[in-house]
Amino acid sequence: MQKQPLLILVIFFILGIVFQDKLVLTGFAFYSVIAMCLVVLVAVCFHSYFLHKIKVVLLAFLFFGTGIILHRYNTYSEANSVLINKKETVSFKISQKLNTTEKYKKYEGTAQAGNINFNSIFYVPKDGKELDFIHYYKTEAYITQPKAPQYDFQFDYTRYLKRKHIDYQIYISDEIVSAERNDLTLSDQLRQYRFTVLKKIDKTIMSRKSKEFLKGIILADRTEIDAVTVQDFNKSGLVHFLAISGTHIVVIFGMFYYLLIRFIPLQFRKYAVILSLVFIWLFAAFIGFGNSVLRSCIMLSVYFIFVMLQRKPDLLHSLALSAFFILIGDTQQLFDVGFQLSFLAVLGIYWLNQPLLKHFPKQDHYLKKLLFNTITISLSAQLATLPLVLYYFHQFSFISIIANFVIVPFSEIIIVFSFIMTAFVTCGIDFGLLNGVYDFVIQILLEMIHWFAETDLLFFENIPMNGFEMLSVSVVIYLLRSFILKFNFKNSMRLIMAIIVFLIVRTGSNVFENEKEEVLIYSLGKSKIFSIKSGEKICFWVSDMEDKVKVLRYIINPYCSSRRVDYFEIKSFSSSSQKVVFRDRIYDLK
């Protein structure tokens, strides 16, 4: 507690959030927690020998209780069922544009139907008008709720939306009437200005993929990137390069700071730091305060505050403060996959980077330092996030390690080049030659990433991983530090024992799932899909009219990774069939 008090207190705060999310304290129990927290808060303020001895315990309970209380007030109640499955006249405004699908443009916003106000996802036909942030809209629309998943292995979209305080989906097919808003906030004006810059980028003379890459890497807009490009970044393990993260914020901060020190006298150098910090916060507000952006800005600000106060910077203090500020604003962010991966990656770099560097030759040259740090930082971040990646996505590509070694060293150049291009476009400056050069560079970059993604030999999917396995793998990675720092019998045995525990847990999970036999019927759109599992094998019956790619993505792959199936078979049946015969048994598809 003496070495890392902030980190430990934030961990108790997080445990309080998880406790409330799982048990949902209400009524007398919840108000008892509030009363106890108030008593503890008063007790901490008093000075006595006994209270001083238990002060650590009191603070831990206070943060634990605060997590429970805040999460209780960040959890929305059930949606009003009066609106469900109805066509209503809806007035609405949008707050965010989401990824475009094959059929719809998707938006997030606030709507009003009758006297009821609510948050919703809006689906507008892909060929319909583009919506902005400075208008109110009114139309006839169909209001529904997202359906809960049929089975535990399917993605729970309903729960995902509830964590974002959204209960409804609105499908728009009629003509939309708009009226200019007169209640614009500063946040709305920033969103609209960003929207304008995005439209300017669309008008530049570059290939479509280069435009979408530019919008993604600087303005955090990936809504129009095609599915193939997104898949390439995911399979090559370079999706962090496209998302705005700590690297982007540090590079932009460094670029602005470099320019300022050329004009500010040496004795006022600290003002260059302050102005650079102000600039990255303005930039973060402009592109939207995503988790990784907010974390990076807070950590960078805390770091330089420590420097200017002549205190030794501490990465874990900065990380803890970042998590605490974000979760105070919205405790539901804890359950966001991006939030978890972002913080785990930083923890992994803190825990493993220096131990790994000690096994590399002396860094007596800038190129060596760049190369070795790129390798160790990438490896540390990937090792730390590996358990969570396998738990959520059930896939991993060894080519991602190589891809990061090749691409990441050039990331600073690409980010700076992209930022300059965005600045020129924003100011209305159009250099045809510069556009051509940027387009050429990005096309080569995307081709390289596509080549890495196409190396299927090193790509593995449907990797089973449950919560217990994830925790046991995390312990293995935690023990790697001492093993790397000092290779001896004690550290080796601790690591081996952790690996054995993981193998025992995994073997037990495999045996448990392989003994199951189950028959399931799924709904995908208007079609039915039927499956029978026996041991390690499963057979899926799919309508001959069904989209096999969607079936594989949304049903077969999640099922195989959840039930630890090594072999599956797909058979087709006529869409008019009502029954299926398998092993002398008749199954009704109704």
Side-chain angles (χ1 to χ4, degrees):
M1 187 74 173
Q2 293 178 352
K3 290 184 178 180
Q4 296 295 339
L6 284 176
L7 180 64
I8 294 172
L9 291 176
V10 168
I11 289 173
F12 275 97
F13 179 69
I14 289 171
L15 289 175
I17 295 172
V18 175
F19 182 83
Q20 171 63 18
D21 193 74
K22 298 300 180 184
L23 298 183
V24 191
L25 297 183
T26 56
F28 177 76
F30 176 69
Y31 290 112
S32 297
V33 171
I34 296 178
M36 292 176 69
C37 285
L38 290 174
V39 171
V40 170
L41 184 61
V42 172
V44 169
C45 297
F46 283 93
H47 298 282
S48 73
Y49 178 77
F50 175 72
L51 289 176
H52 179 73
K53 283 293 184 181
I54 64 169
K55 191 172 183 179
V56 172
V57 178
L58 293 176
L59 284 172
F61 179 81
L62 180 62
F63 274 72
F64 182 80
T66 304
I68 292 175
I69 295 166
L70 287 180
H71 192 59
R72 170 69 177 82
Y73 288 109
N74 267 317
T75 304
Y76 273 35
S77 58
E78 291 296 318
N80 192 328
S81 60
V82 176
L83 295 172
I84 300 172
N85 298 329
K86 283 188 175 182
K87 193 165 187 179
E88 297 273 353
T89 300
V90 178
S91 300
F92 65 95
K93 62 180 180 180
I94 66 167
S95 58
Q96 185 180 355
K97 184 181 179 184
L98 305 176
N99 292 341
T100 301
T101 65
E102 294 177 3
K103 295 182 178 179
Y104 298 102
K105 296 174 184 174
K106 291 170 59 180
Y107 301 90
E108 183 181 319
T110 306
Q112 181 179 14
N115 296 322
I116 302 173
N117 294 308
F118 54 92
N119 297 324
S120 178
I121 301 293
F122 301 92
Y123 294 81
V124 180
K126 198 170 183 178
D127 57 353
K129 66 182 293 186
E130 188 81 36
L131 306 184
D132 58 36
F133 303 93
I134 59 173
H135 286 88
Y136 281 113
Y137 298 97
K138 189 173 183 179
T139 185
E140 289 282 327
Y142 186 75
I143 305 174
T144 185
Q145 276 188 300
K147 293 181 180 179
Q150 291 176 282
Y151 305 107
D152 59 348
F153 60 85
Q154 294 176 304
F155 177 63
D156 193 343
Y157 189 57
T158 303
R159 189 173 180 83
Y160 168 77
L161 289 181
K162 277 186 176 295
R163 293 205 183 279
K164 299 179 71 176
H165 315 306
I166 296 171
D167 289 309
Y168 297 97
Q169 295 172 298
I170 295 179
Y171 290 86
I172 298 170
S173 57
D174 293 345
E175 184 179 351
I176 300 175
V177 179
S178 62
E180 194 166 339
R181 292 174 56 186
N182 57 3
D183 59 346
L184 291 176
T185 63
L186 179 60
S187 179
D188 292 325
Q189 292 173 3
L190 283 173
R191 291 191 193 108
Q192 184 60 29
Y193 187 64
R194 175 172 170 266
F195 177 78
T196 304
V197 174
L198 292 171
K199 288 302 172 187
K200 287 183 178 180
I201 291 175
D202 285 334
K203 295 177 182 178
T204 57
I205 304 174
M206 287 190 289
S207 65
R208 181 178 176 275
K209 286 191 174 183
S210 295
K211 293 176 185 177
E212 300 309 328
F213 178 86
L214 178 58
K215 290 192 286 187
I217 196 172
I218 296 298
L219 298 176
D221 181 88
R222 293 185 287 170
T223 58
E224 300 294 336
I225 296 180
D226 61 278
V228 175
T229 303
V230 172
Q231 186 180 27
D232 287 345
F233 275 95
N234 286 329
K235 291 182 70 174
S236 62
L238 289 165
V239 69
H240 64 87
F241 180 54
L242 188 60
I244 304 291
S245 61
T247 303
H248 298 71
I249 298 299
V250 170
V251 169
I252 293 170
F253 172 89
M255 181 175 61
F256 197 71
Y257 177 76
Y258 178 81
L259 293 174
L260 283 176
I261 61 175
R262 293 293 178 270
F263 303 100
I264 295 179
L266 184 62
Q267 63 268 31
F268 300 115
R269 188 63 56 87
K270 66 178 181 180
Y271 295 108
V273 173
I274 294 172
L275 288 173
S276 299
L277 289 175
V278 170
F279 178 79
I280 62 166
W281 278 103
L282 291 173
F283 176 74
F286 179 64
I287 63 174
F289 287 111
N291 283 328
S292 58
V293 175
L294 197 55
R295 172 191 57 78
S296 303
C297 289
I298 294 173
M299 289 185 65
L300 202 62
S301 300
V302 171
Y303 173 86
F304 279 106
I305 288 171
F306 271 87
V307 170
M308 288 187 288
L309 293 176
Q310 297 182 348
R311 300 282 186 90
K312 184 180 178 180
D314 190 297
L315 177 64
L316 292 183
H317 284 176
S318 303
L319 192 67
L321 283 173
S322 302
F324 190 56
F325 289 144
I326 293 171
L327 293 176
I328 283 178
D330 184 6
T331 55
Q332 297 287 357
Q333 292 292 335
L334 177 64
F335 304 97
D336 182 78
V337 179
F339 177 93
Q340 297 172 16
L341 290 174
S342 176
F343 279 87
L344 265 182
V346 177
L347 282 172
I349 293 169
Y350 168 82
W351 193 245
L352 295 174
N353 184 50
Q354 290 303 319
L356 287 172
L357 270 177
K358 291 183 178 180
H359 292 271
F360 282 81
K362 187 177 180 181
Q363 302 170 56
D364 53 1
H365 191 273
Y366 173 76
L367 290 178
K368 285 185 179 180
K369 186 176 181 180
L370 176 65
L371 178 63
F372 298 158
N373 272 278
T374 299
I375 293 172
T376 56
I377 288 174
S378 298
L379 191 58
S380 301
Q382 289 191 58
L383 282 172
T385 56
L386 179 62
L388 213 59
V389 168
L390 294 179
Y391 177 71
Y392 283 120
F393 306 111
H394 304 288
Q395 63 181 35
F396 180 74
S397 176
F398 284 102
I399 201 66
S400 65
I401 300 173
I402 303 171
N404 275 278
F405 294 163
V406 175
I407 302 297
V408 170
F410 301 101
S411 60
E412 292 186 18
I413 299 171
I414 298 296
I415 292 168
V416 171
F417 196 2
S418 299
F419 188 86
I420 292 171
M421 287 294 299
T422 305
F424 282 160
V425 171
T426 303
C427 297
I429 302 172
D430 186 10
F431 289 122
L433 179 61
L434 193 63
N435 291 348
V437 172
Y438 182 81
D439 191 20
F440 176 74
V441 170
I442 300 306
Q443 287 296 323
I444 293 176
L445 175 69
L446 295 177
E447 285 295 327
M448 289 177 63
I449 293 171
H450 180 70
W451 183 83
F452 282 122
E454 287 291 294
T455 311
D456 292 332
L457 184 65
L458 298 175
F459 179 73
F460 301 91
E461 58 182 347
N462 298 338
I463 303 172
M465 181 68 68
N466 60 31
F468 294 110
E469 289 171 313
M470 180 189 70
L471 291 175
S472 57
V473 172
S474 299
V475 172
V476 172
I477 292 169
Y478 174 81
L479 294 174
L480 271 177
R481 177 185 170 88
S482 55
F483 178 78
I484 295 169
L485 283 173
K486 190 175 183 180
F487 179 74
N488 55 27
F489 179 78
K490 180 182 177 181
N491 291 336
S492 301
M493 287 306 299
R494 289 169 64 187
L495 184 64
I496 290 170
M497 287 301 297
I499 294 172
I500 290 173
V501 169
F502 163 70
L503 293 175
I504 291 172
V505 172
R506 190 167 188 81
T507 303
S509 300
N510 289 340
V511 171
F512 177 77
E513 289 295 341
N514 290 338
E515 288 181 350
K516 283 184 179 180
E517 293 193 3
E518 62 182 355
V519 179
L520 300 178
I521 299 176
Y522 318 84
S523 295
L524 187 66
K526 297 180 180 180
S527 302
K528 295 288 185 182
I529 297 160
F530 178 75
S531 72
I532 299 178
K533 176 182 177 294
S534 178
E536 299 179 10
K537 298 181 180 180
I538 185 169
C539 184
F540 292 90
W541 273 269
V542 182
S543 168
D544 51 14
M545 298 297 290
E546 191 55 74
D547 186 343
K548 300 294 194 299
V549 176
K550 286 186 177 180
V551 172
L552 195 67
R553 180 179 177 184
Y554 296 113
I555 294 179
I556 295 178
N557 285 344
Y559 184 92
C560 290
S561 58
S562 173
R563 301 297 192 263
R564 299 167 188 269
V565 175
D566 294 325
Y567 174 82
F568 67 86
E569 185 179 2
I570 303 176
K571 294 184 178 180
S572 296
F573 66 89
S574 172
S575 57
S576 60
S577 300
Q578 300 295 318
K579 299 179 186 295
V580 168
V581 179
F582 182 72
R583 292 183 179 177
D584 300 325
R585 293 184 64 182
I586 299 174
Y587 297 93
D588 194 346
L589 296 181
K590 292 182 180 179

